[in-house]
Amino acid sequence: MKFLQHFDIEVIKYREGAHELEFQVTDRFFDEFEDNDLVNKGNLTVRVKMDKGVNLIEMDFKIQGSVHLTCDRSLEEFDYPLDIEESIIFKYGSEEKEIDENIFMITRDTPSINVAQLIYEFILLAIPAKKIHPDYRNELDEEESEAEGQYVYFDSESEKEEESSNDEPGSIDPRWEKLKKLK
């Protein structure tokens, strides 16, 4: 856990105004998280633009790089590029708590904010649910486009013709007409 202290932003040291910070996310970063099943390796650069005001601190995160994933289809490993932009607001208040997913309350005497967990969550949320190796993405797109037409039983032209014939007064659907003959 000492490694994650590298991701502390000592907000008490900074004056009001804009500040820029940079962090490097490597394999060691992902090793620090116990519940990490999705990402074990990666190389990313995190740039934080911090705007410290009188009543709040606004942080804009720009995360760029790649993470090492395992394909769900072929189990081959591949690098997945990431380009993430997120914003977090820290408001000053009487206690430390999470107000919203993007708004946190901190006390005025909070010496530092550790952004490691935020960065980790941003990375995990940017990973697609279906991790497909780039070599198999084209095959997947073709399969999906072929499967799209499998469940269509009529085309829109015949449907429009039926609707227009049913709208005319006195016209009877030919199917109903044949049923009337059975009487």
mmCIF file of all heavy atoms in Angstrom, residues 73-97:
data_model
loop_
_atom_site.group_PDB
_atom_site.id
_atom_site.type_symbol
_atom_site.label_atom_id
_atom_site.label_comp_id
_atom_site.label_asym_id
_atom_site.label_seq_id
_atom_site.Cartn_x
_atom_site.Cartn_y
_atom_site.Cartn_z
ATOM 1 N N ARG A 73 -12.667 -14.454 -26.488
ATOM 2 C CA ARG A 73 -12.948 -15.452 -27.513
ATOM 3 C C ARG A 73 -11.786 -16.425 -27.700
ATOM 4 O O ARG A 73 -11.983 -17.630 -27.720
ATOM 5 C CB ARG A 73 -13.234 -14.731 -28.820
ATOM 6 C CG ARG A 73 -13.616 -15.645 -29.940
ATOM 7 C CD ARG A 73 -13.930 -14.830 -31.141
ATOM 8 N NE ARG A 73 -15.229 -15.222 -31.625
ATOM 9 C CZ ARG A 73 -15.724 -14.838 -32.769
ATOM 10 N NH1 ARG A 73 -15.055 -14.016 -33.519
ATOM 11 N NH2 ARG A 73 -16.891 -15.257 -33.162
ATOM 12 N N SER A 74 -10.567 -15.918 -27.835
ATOM 13 C CA SER A 74 -9.425 -16.769 -28.169
ATOM 14 C C SER A 74 -8.454 -16.960 -27.000
ATOM 15 O O SER A 74 -7.517 -17.734 -27.123
ATOM 16 C CB SER A 74 -8.658 -16.162 -29.341
ATOM 17 O OG SER A 74 -8.082 -14.931 -28.950
ATOM 18 N N LEU A 75 -8.665 -16.226 -25.910
ATOM 19 C CA LEU A 75 -7.782 -16.238 -24.744
ATOM 20 C C LEU A 75 -6.369 -15.744 -25.061
ATOM 21 O O LEU A 75 -5.442 -15.980 -24.300
ATOM 22 C CB LEU A 75 -7.733 -17.620 -24.089
ATOM 23 C CG LEU A 75 -9.062 -18.142 -23.560
ATOM 24 C CD1 LEU A 75 -8.889 -19.537 -22.985
ATOM 25 C CD2 LEU A 75 -9.646 -17.209 -22.522
ATOM 26 N N GLU A 76 -6.220 -15.053 -26.182
ATOM 27 C CA GLU A 76 -4.942 -14.433 -26.520
ATOM 28 C C GLU A 76 -4.846 -13.097 -25.792
ATOM 29 O O GLU A 76 -5.849 -12.413 -25.590
ATOM 30 C CB GLU A 76 -4.852 -14.176 -28.029
ATOM 31 C CG GLU A 76 -4.736 -15.424 -28.854
ATOM 32 C CD GLU A 76 -4.630 -15.092 -30.337
ATOM 33 O OE1 GLU A 76 -3.814 -14.210 -30.696
ATOM 34 O OE2 GLU A 76 -5.366 -15.706 -31.115
ATOM 35 N N GLU A 77 -3.641 -12.728 -25.415
ATOM 36 C CA GLU A 77 -3.441 -11.455 -24.747
ATOM 37 C C GLU A 77 -3.174 -10.376 -25.801
ATOM 38 O O GLU A 77 -2.569 -10.648 -26.845
ATOM 39 C CB GLU A 77 -2.287 -11.555 -23.764
ATOM 40 C CG GLU A 77 -2.606 -12.487 -22.609
ATOM 41 C CD GLU A 77 -1.509 -12.533 -21.568
ATOM 42 O OE1 GLU A 77 -0.393 -12.030 -21.835
ATOM 43 O OE2 GLU A 77 -1.774 -13.067 -20.489
ATOM 44 N N PHE A 78 -3.656 -9.166 -25.511
ATOM 45 C CA PHE A 78 -3.451 -8.052 -26.438
ATOM 46 C C PHE A 78 -3.467 -6.742 -25.645
ATOM 47 O O PHE A 78 -3.935 -6.684 -24.512
ATOM 48 C CB PHE A 78 -4.525 -8.034 -27.531
ATOM 49 C CG PHE A 78 -5.917 -7.756 -27.044
ATOM 50 C CD1 PHE A 78 -6.466 -6.491 -27.159
ATOM 51 C CD2 PHE A 78 -6.695 -8.757 -26.464
ATOM 52 C CE1 PHE A 78 -7.747 -6.224 -26.713
ATOM 53 C CE2 PHE A 78 -7.976 -8.503 -26.026
ATOM 54 C CZ PHE A 78 -8.509 -7.237 -26.145
ATOM 55 N N ASP A 79 -2.913 -5.709 -26.267
ATOM 56 C CA ASP A 79 -2.915 -4.381 -25.653
ATOM 57 C C ASP A 79 -4.125 -3.608 -26.145
ATOM 58 O O ASP A 79 -4.377 -3.515 -27.343
ATOM 59 C CB ASP A 79 -1.637 -3.618 -26.015
ATOM 60 C CG ASP A 79 -0.427 -4.163 -25.272
ATOM 61 O OD1 ASP A 79 -0.605 -4.651 -24.148
ATOM 62 O OD2 ASP A 79 0.688 -4.097 -25.828
ATOM 63 N N TYR A 80 -4.883 -3.073 -25.201
ATOM 64 C CA TYR A 80 -6.085 -2.304 -25.518
ATOM 65 C C TYR A 80 -5.800 -0.826 -25.230
ATOM 66 O O TYR A 80 -5.506 -0.459 -24.093
ATOM 67 C CB TYR A 80 -7.262 -2.798 -24.679
ATOM 68 C CG TYR A 80 -8.562 -2.120 -25.013
ATOM 69 C CD1 TYR A 80 -9.275 -2.488 -26.142
ATOM 70 C CD2 TYR A 80 -9.065 -1.105 -24.210
ATOM 71 C CE1 TYR A 80 -10.461 -1.865 -26.461
ATOM 72 C CE2 TYR A 80 -10.253 -0.480 -24.527
ATOM 73 C CZ TYR A 80 -10.952 -0.865 -25.653
ATOM 74 O OH TYR A 80 -12.128 -0.233 -25.971
ATOM 75 N N PRO A 81 -5.874 0.039 -26.245
ATOM 76 C CA PRO A 81 -5.569 1.460 -26.023
ATOM 77 C C PRO A 81 -6.698 2.157 -25.261
ATOM 78 O O PRO A 81 -7.882 1.878 -25.483
ATOM 79 C CB PRO A 81 -5.440 2.017 -27.442
ATOM 80 C CG PRO A 81 -6.239 1.095 -28.294
ATOM 81 C CD PRO A 81 -6.184 -0.257 -27.643
ATOM 82 N N LEU A 82 -6.316 3.059 -24.368
ATOM 83 C CA LEU A 82 -7.292 3.827 -23.594
ATOM 84 C C LEU A 82 -7.018 5.319 -23.750
ATOM 85 O O LEU A 82 -5.865 5.753 -23.789
ATOM 86 C CB LEU A 82 -7.206 3.471 -22.110
ATOM 87 C CG LEU A 82 -7.657 2.085 -21.693
ATOM 88 C CD1 LEU A 82 -7.435 1.891 -20.203
ATOM 89 C CD2 LEU A 82 -9.117 1.863 -22.022
ATOM 90 N N ASP A 83 -8.073 6.086 -23.832
ATOM 91 C CA ASP A 83 -8.009 7.546 -23.837
ATOM 92 C C ASP A 83 -9.231 8.018 -23.054
ATOM 93 O O ASP A 83 -10.342 8.042 -23.574
ATOM 94 C CB ASP A 83 -8.029 8.083 -25.261
ATOM 95 C CG ASP A 83 -7.713 9.567 -25.330
ATOM 96 O OD1 ASP A 83 -7.373 10.161 -24.283
ATOM 97 O OD2 ASP A 83 -7.808 10.143 -26.432
ATOM 98 N N ILE A 84 -9.014 8.362 -21.784
ATOM 99 C CA ILE A 84 -10.107 8.629 -20.853
ATOM 100 C C ILE A 84 -10.038 10.070 -20.377
ATOM 101 O O ILE A 84 -8.963 10.576 -20.087
ATOM 102 C CB ILE A 84 -10.004 7.691 -19.623
ATOM 103 C CG1 ILE A 84 -9.925 6.235 -20.058
ATOM 104 C CG2 ILE A 84 -11.150 7.928 -18.663
ATOM 105 C CD1 ILE A 84 -9.468 5.300 -18.953
ATOM 106 N N GLU A 85 -11.197 10.709 -20.276
ATOM 107 C CA GLU A 85 -11.295 12.041 -19.691
ATOM 108 C C GLU A 85 -12.424 12.018 -18.668
ATOM 109 O O GLU A 85 -13.556 11.667 -18.999
ATOM 110 C CB GLU A 85 -11.577 13.094 -20.758
ATOM 111 C CG GLU A 85 -10.410 13.315 -21.690
ATOM 112 C CD GLU A 85 -10.644 14.451 -22.670
ATOM 113 O OE1 GLU A 85 -11.439 15.359 -22.364
ATOM 114 O OE2 GLU A 85 -10.021 14.419 -23.745
ATOM 115 N N GLU A 86 -12.109 12.371 -17.438
ATOM 116 C CA GLU A 86 -13.088 12.392 -16.348
ATOM 117 C C GLU A 86 -12.855 13.629 -15.490
ATOM 118 O O GLU A 86 -11.751 14.164 -15.448
ATOM 119 C CB GLU A 86 -12.954 11.146 -15.465
ATOM 120 C CG GLU A 86 -13.361 9.856 -16.130
ATOM 121 C CD GLU A 86 -14.860 9.693 -16.303
ATOM 122 O OE1 GLU A 86 -15.626 10.377 -15.596
ATOM 123 O OE2 GLU A 86 -15.258 8.889 -17.142
ATOM 124 N N SER A 87 -13.898 14.043 -14.783
ATOM 125 C CA SER A 87 -13.800 15.170 -13.865
ATOM 126 C C SER A 87 -14.359 14.793 -12.507
ATOM 127 O O SER A 87 -15.366 14.097 -12.420
ATOM 128 C CB SER A 87 -14.585 16.372 -14.396
ATOM 129 O OG SER A 87 -13.993 16.865 -15.566
ATOM 130 N N ILE A 88 -13.708 15.271 -11.461
ATOM 131 C CA ILE A 88 -14.136 15.049 -10.088
ATOM 132 C C ILE A 88 -14.101 16.390 -9.364
ATOM 133 O O ILE A 88 -13.185 17.190 -9.571
ATOM 134 C CB ILE A 88 -13.209 14.045 -9.359
ATOM 135 C CG1 ILE A 88 -13.259 12.675 -10.026
ATOM 136 C CG2 ILE A 88 -13.559 13.933 -7.888
ATOM 137 C CD1 ILE A 88 -14.548 11.923 -9.834
ATOM 138 N N ILE A 89 -15.095 16.613 -8.512
ATOM 139 C CA ILE A 89 -15.154 17.832 -7.720
ATOM 140 C C ILE A 89 -15.078 17.460 -6.241
ATOM 141 O O ILE A 89 -15.784 16.561 -5.782
ATOM 142 C CB ILE A 89 -16.454 18.617 -8.001
ATOM 143 C CG1 ILE A 89 -16.469 19.080 -9.457
ATOM 144 C CG2 ILE A 89 -16.599 19.797 -7.045
ATOM 145 C CD1 ILE A 89 -17.762 19.719 -9.897
ATOM 146 N N PHE A 90 -14.207 18.144 -5.525
ATOM 147 C CA PHE A 90 -14.084 17.990 -4.078
ATOM 148 C C PHE A 90 -14.573 19.285 -3.447
ATOM 149 O O PHE A 90 -13.946 20.342 -3.627
ATOM 150 C CB PHE A 90 -12.631 17.720 -3.676
ATOM 151 C CG PHE A 90 -12.106 16.405 -4.179
ATOM 152 C CD1 PHE A 90 -11.432 16.334 -5.390
ATOM 153 C CD2 PHE A 90 -12.295 15.245 -3.454
ATOM 154 C CE1 PHE A 90 -10.953 15.124 -5.859
ATOM 155 C CE2 PHE A 90 -11.813 14.033 -3.921
ATOM 156 C CZ PHE A 90 -11.146 13.972 -5.122
ATOM 157 N N LYS A 91 -15.696 19.207 -2.718
ATOM 158 C CA LYS A 91 -16.245 20.382 -2.034
ATOM 159 C C LYS A 91 -15.818 20.356 -0.584
ATOM 160 O O LYS A 91 -15.718 19.298 0.021
ATOM 161 C CB LYS A 91 -17.774 20.369 -2.099
ATOM 162 C CG LYS A 91 -18.349 20.657 -3.446
ATOM 163 C CD LYS A 91 -19.846 20.752 -3.367
ATOM 164 C CE LYS A 91 -20.426 21.180 -4.695
ATOM 165 N NZ LYS A 91 -21.871 21.392 -4.601
ATOM 166 N N TYR A 92 -15.609 21.545 -0.044
ATOM 167 C CA TYR A 92 -15.282 21.637 1.375
ATOM 168 C C TYR A 92 -16.571 21.581 2.189
ATOM 169 O O TYR A 92 -17.566 22.205 1.839
ATOM 170 C CB TYR A 92 -14.524 22.935 1.678
ATOM 171 C CG TYR A 92 -13.134 22.964 1.095
ATOM 172 C CD1 TYR A 92 -12.780 23.872 0.119
ATOM 173 C CD2 TYR A 92 -12.178 22.057 1.527
ATOM 174 C CE1 TYR A 92 -11.503 23.897 -0.418
ATOM 175 C CE2 TYR A 92 -10.893 22.073 0.998
ATOM 176 C CZ TYR A 92 -10.569 22.993 0.033
ATOM 177 O OH TYR A 92 -9.304 23.008 -0.496
ATOM 178 N N GLY A 93 -16.519 20.785 3.271
ATOM 179 C CA GLY A 93 -17.683 20.650 4.138
ATOM 180 C C GLY A 93 -17.274 20.251 5.537
ATOM 181 O O GLY A 93 -16.095 20.290 5.894
ATOM 182 N N SER A 94 -18.253 19.808 6.307
ATOM 183 C CA SER A 94 -18.003 19.483 7.715
ATOM 184 C C SER A 94 -17.461 18.072 7.919
ATOM 185 O O SER A 94 -16.899 17.769 8.964
ATOM 186 C CB SER A 94 -19.293 19.654 8.513
ATOM 187 O OG SER A 94 -20.296 18.809 7.976
ATOM 188 N N GLU A 95 -17.667 17.186 6.942
ATOM 189 C CA GLU A 95 -17.211 15.800 7.067
ATOM 190 C C GLU A 95 -16.762 15.276 5.711
ATOM 191 O O GLU A 95 -17.069 15.870 4.678
ATOM 192 C CB GLU A 95 -18.317 14.918 7.632
ATOM 193 C CG GLU A 95 -19.559 14.880 6.751
ATOM 194 C CD GLU A 95 -20.680 14.049 7.338
ATOM 195 O OE1 GLU A 95 -20.448 13.327 8.313
ATOM 196 O OE2 GLU A 95 -21.792 14.126 6.803
ATOM 197 N N GLU A 96 -16.059 14.147 5.725
ATOM 198 C CA GLU A 96 -15.619 13.537 4.474
ATOM 199 C C GLU A 96 -16.627 12.472 4.068
ATOM 200 O O GLU A 96 -16.890 11.537 4.824
ATOM 201 C CB GLU A 96 -14.234 12.930 4.647
ATOM 202 C CG GLU A 96 -13.168 13.981 4.853
ATOM 203 C CD GLU A 96 -11.765 13.415 4.767
ATOM 204 O OE1 GLU A 96 -11.591 12.250 4.343
ATOM 205 O OE2 GLU A 96 -10.831 14.144 5.127
ATOM 206 N N LYS A 97 -17.210 12.646 2.879
ATOM 207 C CA LYS A 97 -18.161 11.662 2.365
ATOM 208 C C LYS A 97 -18.319 11.836 0.862
ATOM 209 O O LYS A 97 -17.946 12.867 0.292
ATOM 210 C CB LYS A 97 -19.514 11.774 3.058
ATOM 211 C CG LYS A 97 -20.280 13.059 2.773
ATOM 212 C CD LYS A 97 -21.616 13.044 3.471
ATOM 213 C CE LYS A 97 -22.409 14.300 3.119
ATOM 214 N NZ LYS A 97 -23.717 14.291 3.718
#
